[in-house]
Amino acid sequence: MSTSVQGPPAAPPSAAPAAPPPGATGRGLPWIAALGSGLAVLLAGGPVTAIVQGGAWFGHAAAAVVAVVVVGLLLHRLGAVVVAAGQAVAVLVLLTVQFADNGILGVLPGPAALGEFGALVSGAGQQIDTGTAPVPGTPEILFLITAAFGLLAIGVHLAAVSAGAPAAAGVPLLAVFAVPAALADNLLPWWAMAAAAAGFGLLLVAGSGFGRRLPGSVAIVAVAVVLAIGVGAGANFVGTAGRFDTGSGAGGSGGSIGLSPFTALRGQLDQQSPTELFRVRGLTRPTYLRALTLRQYVPDAGWQATRPDPGVALPGPVQTQPAVPGDLANVEIENVAFRDYWLPLYGEPLDVGGLPENAWLYDRSSGTGYTGRPREEGGWREQTLLPVPTVAQLRQSSGSSGVGPEYLDVTGVDPRVTEIAQQVVAGRTGNFDRAMALQDYFAGPDSRFTYSLRTAPGSGDDALVEFLTVGRSGYCEQFASAMAVMLRTVGVPSRVAVGFTAGVDNGQYRSISTSDAHAWVEAWFPGVGWTTFDPTPLTDGRTIAPPYVQEAQGPAPDTANTPAEQDLSPGQDQAQQAPPPPTQPQDL
């Protein structure tokens, strides 16, 4: 009997190795998909440049996206739920480090930090409600952007990486593109559409893995980007009037002459139910309460806020008493509902008290008290000088010594504005008389300008020229902006001040509310200092005429004897007896 020798049993065919998830490397981490999703979020966020000033927002957005991508890769093997939770914690830690003063160990968001977050969100909402795009990159706005990009990056990562569905991630990307497009009044730049298309294309390519699909995928993305550029350059539908109110009435104009960083002023005046802000005690006479001053004018964009100079720490002495006649006052300001970067102060502050240490500074050059983040103090005390120069002193003071050349800068101002200003001040040689002529041009008895919260529609010409020659209607920011620019064109250093009028005296204190928000002009006189002029033709009694303005205008004319009742000398008619009306500049 023979036996057969059999070899070892054949090994069963080996199972094919499982395909790695899309975008994963040999170790199973989806590097390509995760990095592609993060980059797609930043590319889709390009239109934010149309609604937020400056580039600081991008750094905050990028920090949030990087945090989400890194944590997503570190926790990838633990599942989608753990990844999303870890990413949310990372965004909260980032917000605490960047925006909270009271985080646990400086990095964890405890109850105090969450309270700060709520205040930042509330402040951002107020700025969006009352601002005009592009809004300043304030801490409130930057907080909102950081949180929004963090949440967006989490959603895109969850769809494109954890769920392996990159096409679904296009929905949140569309939102981050569409919201700025809806809020921006002007057309978005062509590159915004191109970047958004490239971001979505990158998301699709990275999500499916490069490999042999790379050439075709890149070709498809390139075609999409070219089409996006063509649509963006040729279409006029991206960028529509949204929630931000420009205050320009119906129709468009060539730009703005308003206080673009401080259009909250307009929002305060628009409120149907004014909100009380301050209660002031110890004020010796009605005067303006100054919050800040603006020195930089950008044609067709308006007066811009600039960074204050290094200041004197408050509380404490601010300066010695200027050698200018005036009234000394010890003022107490009770804060009812004012929260901002600026500390409203009266006149020439000598000493400021009642504030926390190391929170506020005072910039002498701009006359502005300020802080790094919005604060709401309970109140403060101020010893101040309310200057009362005489007309003779002001007329003897000319030139620009003692002040920087930026207060005479008229770069880019339309020559027609200069021509109108020169017509208004014709025959006036001194700085004071020129300032009075311009004030009377806007607010005098023969003025053709009217006060209104709704400005006249523009026709595309220079905004300031249109206001002077066509519209002749606006509220305080238009009048203050126009007069300050015109003063510079005739050689008088000037700036715009923003703050409040004197409010209502109820016998115990002066109550100042949002309806008292105001802007006026300050002109520089060597040896005297910054001096107030108000060109707004208010009819509600809120205008404050400083003593030197009252002195220059003289007593009210006696209307008891009209020219018709006067005895005319033989051969002299009534028209010859009556003084001629002031000459108005011709429309250009």
Side-chain angles (χ1 to χ4, degrees):
M1 178 176 177
S2 62
T3 59
S4 61
V5 179
Q6 297 181 352
S14 58
T25 65
R27 293 187 296 172
L29 289 181
W31 292 94
I32 297 175
L35 294 176
S37 66
L39 185 56
V41 169
L42 294 177
L43 288 172
V48 174
T49 58
I51 62 171
V52 179
Q53 297 177 16
W57 71 268
F58 183 79
H60 288 269
V65 171
V66 168
V68 168
V69 170
V70 170
V71 172
L73 290 172
L74 291 175
L75 302 179
H76 176 69
R77 293 187 177 89
L78 300 181
V81 174
V82 175
V83 168
Q87 290 170 329
V89 171
V91 173
L92 283 174
V93 169
L94 179 65
L95 292 172
T96 303
V97 171
Q98 291 185 331
F99 297 99
D101 293 326
N102 299 299
I104 300 174
L105 301 178
V107 296
L108 300 178
L114 293 177
E116 292 182 73
F117 291 171
L120 288 167
V121 172
S122 176
Q126 293 177 5
Q127 293 179 35
I128 292 173
D129 283 336
T130 61
T132 299
V135 296
T138 62
E140 292 88 348
I141 296 297
L142 295 178
F143 174 86
L144 196 64
I145 287 175
T146 306
F149 270 85
L151 292 175
L152 177 68
I154 293 173
V156 172
H157 187 97
L158 185 64
V161 182
S162 299
V171 176
L173 290 183
L174 177 61
V176 77
F177 179 86
V179 171
L183 295 178
D185 286 332
N186 298 322
L187 299 182
L188 296 179
W190 64 266
W191 58 262
M193 293 194 69
F200 185 61
L202 176 65
L203 192 65
L204 295 177
V205 173
S208 60
F210 288 117
R212 286 178 289 180
R213 302 179 184 180
L214 179 60
S217 300
V218 171
I220 293 174
V221 173
V223 171
V225 171
V226 171
L227 290 176
I229 292 174
V231 173
N236 292 329
F237 62 86
V238 180
T240 57
R243 188 175 183 185
F244 292 106
D245 182 8
T246 63
S248 59
S253 67
S256 169
I257 61 169
L259 312 174
S260 55
F262 300 98
T263 47
L265 174 66
R266 167 67 177 268
Q268 292 177 0
L269 295 174
D270 272 338
Q271 291 185 17
Q272 295 182 353
S273 300
T275 301
E276 186 180 36
L277 299 176
F278 308 104
R279 295 175 180 175
V280 180
R281 298 173 176 85
L283 199 63
T284 57
R285 58 179 171 84
T287 190
Y288 294 105
L289 178 60
R290 181 176 58 239
L292 74 157
T293 62
L294 307 175
R295 64 188 177 191
Q296 181 180 5
Y297 178 75
V298 178
D300 255 3
W303 289 83
Q304 309 290 317
T306 54
R307 182 179 296 276
D309 293 338
V312 179
L314 299 178
V318 173
Q319 60 183 331
T320 58
Q321 183 172 334
V324 179
D327 304 325
L328 285 173
N330 292 305
V331 182
E332 292 186 5
I333 301 175
E334 177 186 350
N335 187 10
V336 179
F338 183 79
R339 183 175 186 270
D340 212 330
Y341 300 91
W342 319 106
L343 186 74
L345 295 168
Y346 285 104
E348 293 287 342
L350 305 178
D351 192 287
V352 178
L355 295 170
E357 297 287 341
N358 303 317
W360 293 90
L361 298 171
Y362 180 77
D363 173 17
R364 293 188 182 121
S365 63
S366 65
T368 301
Y370 65 95
T371 184
R373 292 182 179 175
R375 298 178 61 92
E376 183 175 348
E377 306 295 355
W380 53 94
R381 302 183 304 275
E382 178 189 1
Q383 183 184 29
T384 185
L385 175 72
L386 307 179
V388 190
T390 65
V391 170
Q393 285 178 306
L394 293 171
R395 283 180 171 152
Q396 292 170 3
S397 174
S398 290
S400 60
S401 61
V403 72
E406 63 271 19
Y407 292 101
L408 283 169
D409 183 20
V410 290
T411 303
V413 172
D414 194 295
R416 292 172 291 178
V417 176
T418 303
E419 185 174 346
I420 294 173
Q422 290 175 343
Q423 291 181 35
V424 173
V425 304
R428 312 291 181 97
T429 57
N431 286 3
F432 176 73
D433 289 319
R434 290 181 174 183
M436 287 299 303
L438 285 169
Q439 176 174 293
D440 289 341
Y441 171 60
F442 291 110
D446 297 295
S447 172
R448 291 182 289 176
F449 290 83
T450 58
Y451 178 83
S452 173
L453 286 178
R454 184 175 179 84
T455 58
S459 61
D461 197 0
D462 180 89
L464 181 50
V465 173
E466 283 195 346
F467 173 71
L468 295 174
T469 62
V470 180
R472 297 194 181 94
S473 178
Y475 62 112
C476 55
E477 73 169 278
Q478 278 81 25
F479 288 100
S481 297
M483 179 176 172
V485 172
M486 296 171 78
L487 278 171
R488 291 185 177 187
T489 65
V490 296
V492 182
S494 64
R495 67 189 186 188
V496 171
V498 182
F500 304 88
T501 56
V504 177
D505 188 352
N506 62 15
Q508 297 181 343
Y509 54 81
R510 284 193 171 273
S511 176
I512 298 176
S513 72
T514 52
S515 63
D516 296 307
H518 197 52
W520 60 95
V521 176
E522 293 183 348
W524 174 260
F525 293 88
V528 177
W530 291 106
T531 306
T532 297
F533 295 88
D534 192 346
T536 303
L538 292 173
T539 58
D540 58 4
R542 292 189 299 122
T543 300
I544 301 171
Y548 48 86
V549 171
Q550 298 181 38
E551 181 185 351
Q553 291 175 336
D558 184 6
T559 58
N561 294 318
T562 64
E565 297 171 334
Q566 295 174 355
D567 294 333
L568 302 180
S569 57
Q572 186 179 33
D573 60 17
Q574 179 176 331
Q576 291 174 317
Q577 181 73 14
T583 301
Q584 289 283 353
Q586 297 177 352
D587 296 345
L588 301 180

